[in-house]
Amino acid sequence: MTQRNDSHCSEVAVVTHRDKLLFRKTQKPRSVGDHSLDRMSSSGPGSLMEESEPLLTRRSNGRRPNGHCTWSTHSLDSKAVEDFRRRLKFFFMNPCEKYRARGRKPWKLMLQILKIFIITVQLVSFGLSNEMVATFKEDNLMTFKHLFLKGFKDHWHGSYTLYTKADMYDHIYHIINRYNDLENLTIGNLAYEKVDGKYTPLFVCRLFYRNSTINPARDTFYIDPHIDEDCVSISPVQSLDNIYLAKKINFSLDFKRLVSVNINFTLKTINLQTVRHHELPDCYGFHIKIIFDNRAHSGRIKVGVENDVTIYECRDYNVRGNSGKIDYLLLMLDSLVILACVASLILCLRSVVKGIQLQFESNIFFHAYFNKLVTWSERMEFVKGWYIFIIISDTLTISGSVLKIGIQTKFLTNYDVCSIVLGTATMLVWIGFIQYLGYFKKYNILILTLRAAFPNVIRFCCCAAMIYLGYCFCGWIVLGPHHDKFRTLDKVTECLFSLINGDDMFATFLNMRDKSYMVWLFSRVYLYTFTSLFIYMVLSLFIALITDTYETIKHHQKDGEPVSLLHAFIAECQDQPESG
């Protein structure tokens, strides 16, 4: 057994010697500023090996944990060890400490502060413009409902429904007549769409089953499920009344086969309110679709209005007092944001590349000098997640700024995509700045708690999600036919999540009172067990998990215990950054 161990030790010695040579090849030439390290390493009555010996000697001398062989720290190259320790310590310093150590200005920190300011100003300016667009869309949709839906009121709750054939015909004729007389009715800047000098007609499309024979009295039916569509076009220049429409166009509905009636037309307008904010007005095309839904054939036809908006640059415009269509101040701000984000992206990518290089060098170093491997958790500390976070936010900010410039110059009109990209980027920029607060000990405890608790939180949420989904499926299939909040699966998830947060609990219980006794009893057991399980147990365990992690992190910060071999190795260098 001793011979095998000795032979293995000789093999380790050969590998170690080879790794030392490899590590020395990967080391960079020492700069002039590093001569201070030579003076510091040669000072004092003891050697630098004695400085690195306290923790690593105890863990290295004697038999290794795997029982293969022993090795002594006296054979280590103490100068290389101390130099690499100082290099690692400098890498993990915060920007202020690096400035005190080498006078290197914290460019990334100053750039992140500048980014937060200019990106927030950019988002606010775009948000005000986007708010006007969203308000204009909503106001026009409400206008269309009042103009074309007969008897529509602002305080209308629930769905707009019809129950008789006469009401159905009356509402269709009402929409057509309103469309023909639109310019005399509306107080807005609405106009018909023209294509090649001709007005775009209104289309009344009937969707119905191809053939069917239904006789509820005899409990018999025959139906061909294929759906056919028949459309009637009506030009806005025509002056039609109900009688003319019924006789000339042969407009009739077979309600037994009818699936839906869709009325489609397009109107155009200009959003003039942007002039007051020094923006060139946009032209809008509203593609309106009014749907009479009879798919259920329950005697209740639901009426809905859909509005698909197209925004584009007007063909000819002239705004007095405005020399051009571009606000050059906003364009300069967007350009400044792009330049700042490009600089931040380059600096962060440079830091990530340096971290990856130092990670490989550290792995070679510890294997060569201590015959130990750096764990994956310690390796990941070299690639700081905050830099990845900032890289993602910079990429999104650059993309959103380019889209915003396109919108300002009227080459693009997709406000939704731009708002999603810019909003997400701004959120990530603000969250990413937390890393700099983490350099202060009292603020760092929050970051450490979140990072340490994250794996346990994910595992806990996976287990809780199994219970939650079980309740969702059960509530959907059992209570769905009897309660509107459980009618669809997405409504069930929203309702149960609201119950966890204590929202609208009494109304959920109250709506089940008038059901059958069996359903009522099941609903009580279902709701009571869900609220008790998730509010009193799951949430309490979730809070306890975070609290326990917080106390652990607080205890480690108080006692100053090293959390890994890597940090223990770095901590043996007691010199302050001011020492050079």
Side-chain angles (χ1 to χ4, degrees):
M1 184 66 185
T2 305
Q3 293 177 354
R4 283 196 296 268
N5 285 337
D6 293 339
S7 63
H8 182 74
C9 290
S10 62
E11 292 175 2
V12 171
V14 173
V15 174
T16 302
H17 179 69
R18 183 188 61 196
D19 290 339
K20 285 183 181 180
L21 295 177
L22 180 61
F23 173 74
R24 287 169 182 166
K25 289 181 180 180
T26 59
Q27 289 288 81
K28 297 180 180 178
R30 294 162 61 85
S31 61
V32 177
D34 292 336
H35 287 296
S36 59
L37 297 177
D38 298 337
R39 292 192 297 271
M40 295 174 64
S41 61
S42 60
S43 61
S47 65
L48 288 172
M49 187 57 242
E50 294 174 353
E51 182 182 350
S52 62
E53 196 171 350
L55 177 65
L56 293 174
T57 303
R58 293 195 300 269
R59 296 191 180 187
S60 304
N61 289 337
R63 185 170 295 276
R64 293 179 57 197
N66 54 17
H68 288 169
C69 62
T70 62
W71 53 277
S72 174
T73 57
H74 293 291
S75 63
L76 301 180
D77 189 346
S78 59
K79 184 174 179 53
V81 172
E82 183 62 22
D83 287 349
F84 196 71
R85 177 184 286 117
R86 292 177 181 276
R87 186 179 172 191
L88 289 177
K89 183 171 184 178
F90 181 78
F91 178 80
F92 287 103
M93 283 181 181
N94 62 52
C96 297
E97 291 175 342
K98 290 181 179 180
Y99 177 73
R100 292 197 298 267
R102 289 188 180 177
R104 194 179 78 175
K105 294 181 176 58
W107 296 111
K108 285 196 293 290
L109 174 60
M110 293 187 290
L111 193 58
Q112 297 308 316
I113 295 175
L114 175 64
K115 276 174 50 185
I116 284 182
F117 176 74
I118 60 177
I119 289 177
T120 304
V121 173
Q122 180 197 43
L123 185 74
V124 170
S125 65
F126 179 75
L128 294 175
S129 177
N130 194 26
E131 181 182 350
M132 288 187 292
V133 173
T135 304
F136 189 72
K137 291 179 182 179
E138 292 178 358
D139 291 346
N140 276 275
L141 179 59
M142 186 60 66
T143 299
F144 299 146
K145 290 181 178 180
H146 277 275
L147 284 176
F148 299 108
L149 298 185
K150 188 175 181 180
F152 184 83
K153 303 296 181 183
D154 283 337
H155 60 274
W156 199 281
H157 294 289
S159 57
Y160 190 86
T161 55
L162 304 176
Y163 296 94
T164 63
K165 295 180 180 179
D167 286 342
M168 182 74 174
Y169 283 111
D170 192 24
H171 278 75
I172 294 175
Y173 298 146
H174 177 80
I175 293 171
I176 297 172
N177 290 330
R178 288 278 183 157
Y179 177 75
N180 286 322
D181 200 26
L182 179 66
E183 294 183 346
N184 297 327
L185 292 174
T186 181
I187 58 177
N189 297 319
L190 295 173
Y192 303 115
E193 182 188 41
K194 277 187 176 182
V195 177
D196 297 331
K198 296 182 179 180
Y199 287 112
T200 301
L202 174 146
F203 293 94
V204 181
C205 298
R206 297 165 289 182
L207 280 73
F208 49 87
Y209 293 116
R210 181 170 298 174
N211 190 14
S212 66
T213 303
I214 301 174
N215 193 340
R218 297 184 179 181
D219 300 328
T220 59
F221 70 93
Y222 168 77
I223 188 169
D224 185 350
H226 293 88
I227 296 178
D228 294 331
E229 184 177 8
D230 181 24
C231 293
V232 176
S233 62
I234 302 171
S235 177
V237 297
Q238 298 178 4
S239 178
L240 302 175
D241 55 16
N242 296 356
I243 300 175
Y244 182 87
L245 181 66
K247 291 183 178 179
K248 292 292 183 180
I249 302 181
N250 192 22
F251 185 80
S252 61
L253 300 174
D254 184 358
F255 287 92
K256 292 185 177 180
R257 294 192 301 146
L258 182 67
V259 177
S260 67
V261 176
N262 301 332
I263 301 179
N264 304 279
F265 55 92
T266 301
L267 298 176
K268 301 175 68 174
T269 186
I270 301 175
N271 185 5
L272 296 177
Q273 63 176 332
T274 56
V275 175
R276 296 183 290 107
H277 298 274
H278 307 287
E279 293 184 22
L280 189 68
D282 292 318
C283 289
Y284 287 70
F286 294 101
H287 307 282
I288 305 162
K289 184 177 184 180
I290 303 177
I291 304 172
F292 295 85
D293 188 3
N294 191 41
R295 289 176 296 178
H297 287 83
S298 60
R300 181 188 184 191
I301 297 178
K302 298 180 181 179
V303 184
V305 180
E306 295 181 0
N307 184 22
D308 186 15
V309 184
T310 302
I311 306 175
Y312 53 91
E313 182 182 3
C314 298
R315 295 180 181 177
D316 188 16
Y317 52 85
N318 186 6
V319 182
R320 179 174 296 181
N322 194 343
S323 58
K325 64 180 181 179
I326 304 175
D327 193 332
Y328 290 98
L329 290 177
L330 290 177
L331 190 59
M332 290 175 60
L333 176 63
D334 296 331
S335 302
L336 178 62
V337 169
I338 293 176
L339 290 176
C341 290
V342 169
S344 173
L345 186 64
I346 294 173
L347 291 175
C348 290
L349 285 174
R350 175 173 168 267
S351 299
V352 170
V353 171
K354 282 188 173 182
I356 294 174
Q357 291 175 349
L358 189 58
Q359 174 198 121
F360 287 111
E361 292 180 21
S362 299
N363 192 37
I364 297 173
F365 171 81
F366 278 96
H367 184 66
Y369 285 89
F370 302 110
N371 200 20
K372 292 181 179 294
L373 296 178
V374 182
T375 62
W376 276 107
S377 61
E378 293 172 343
R379 286 188 181 188
M380 294 306 296
E381 295 187 29
F382 289 92
V383 183
K384 297 181 180 180
W386 291 111
Y387 289 153
I388 307 298
F389 210 74
I390 295 174
I391 289 172
I392 295 174
S393 68
D394 288 339
T395 305
L396 291 176
T397 304
I398 294 171
S399 303
S401 300
V402 172
L403 291 175
K404 184 174 181 291
I405 292 175
I407 290 174
Q408 290 175 199
T409 55
K410 307 305 177 184
F411 290 106
L412 300 173
T413 57
N414 200 331
Y415 281 84
D416 292 335
V417 174
C418 185
S419 60
I420 291 173
V421 174
L422 279 183
T424 305
T426 307
M427 178 185 68
L428 296 180
V429 167
W430 280 93
I431 295 176
F433 193 75
I434 296 178
Q435 67 159 324
Y436 297 104
L437 295 178
Y439 294 132
F440 301 96
K441 203 167 187 179
K442 293 184 178 179
Y443 295 97
N444 191 36
I445 191 170
L446 172 62
I447 302 173
L448 293 177
T449 302
L450 293 176
R451 186 171 63 182
F454 184 75
N456 292 331
V457 167
I458 294 298
R459 287 190 286 267
F460 180 83
C461 290
C462 289
C463 295
M466 299 298 103
I467 306 174
Y468 186 80
L469 289 175
Y471 271 91
C472 288
F473 287 114
C474 179
W476 174 45
I477 198 66
V478 178
L479 303 181
H482 308 282
H483 199 301
D484 183 64
K485 290 184 178 181
F486 296 85
R487 193 61 47 83
T488 60
L489 192 58
D490 59 330
K491 286 186 176 181
V492 176
T493 57
E494 295 168 0
C495 176
L496 294 183
F497 189 77
S498 299
L499 289 177
I500 294 176
N501 293 277
D503 181 32
D504 209 19
M505 297 183 70
F506 180 72
T508 305
F509 280 87
L510 183 65
N511 290 341
M512 295 299 300
R513 285 187 175 180
D514 299 331
K515 310 304 176 184
S516 65
Y517 179 76
M518 182 178 296
V519 175
W520 175 86
L521 182 62
F522 179 86
S523 67
R524 264 34 188 183
V525 175
Y526 175 86
L527 294 173
Y528 279 120
T529 55
F530 177 81
T531 53
S532 301
L533 180 62
F534 275 86
I535 294 178
Y536 303 130
M537 294 181 62
V538 173
L539 288 183
S540 298
L541 290 173
F542 185 83
I543 296 172
L545 182 65
I546 303 296
T547 306
D548 182 65
T549 306
Y550 173 78
E551 293 296 332
T552 303
I553 297 297
K554 190 175 180 181
H555 175 71
H556 281 302
Q557 281 195 336
K558 183 178 179 180
D559 296 343
E561 298 178 4
V563 295
S564 65
L565 178 63
L566 176 65
H567 288 286
F569 174 76
I570 298 173
E572 293 181 17
C573 180
Q574 300 295 332
D575 295 333
Q576 298 300 318
E578 294 82 357
S579 65

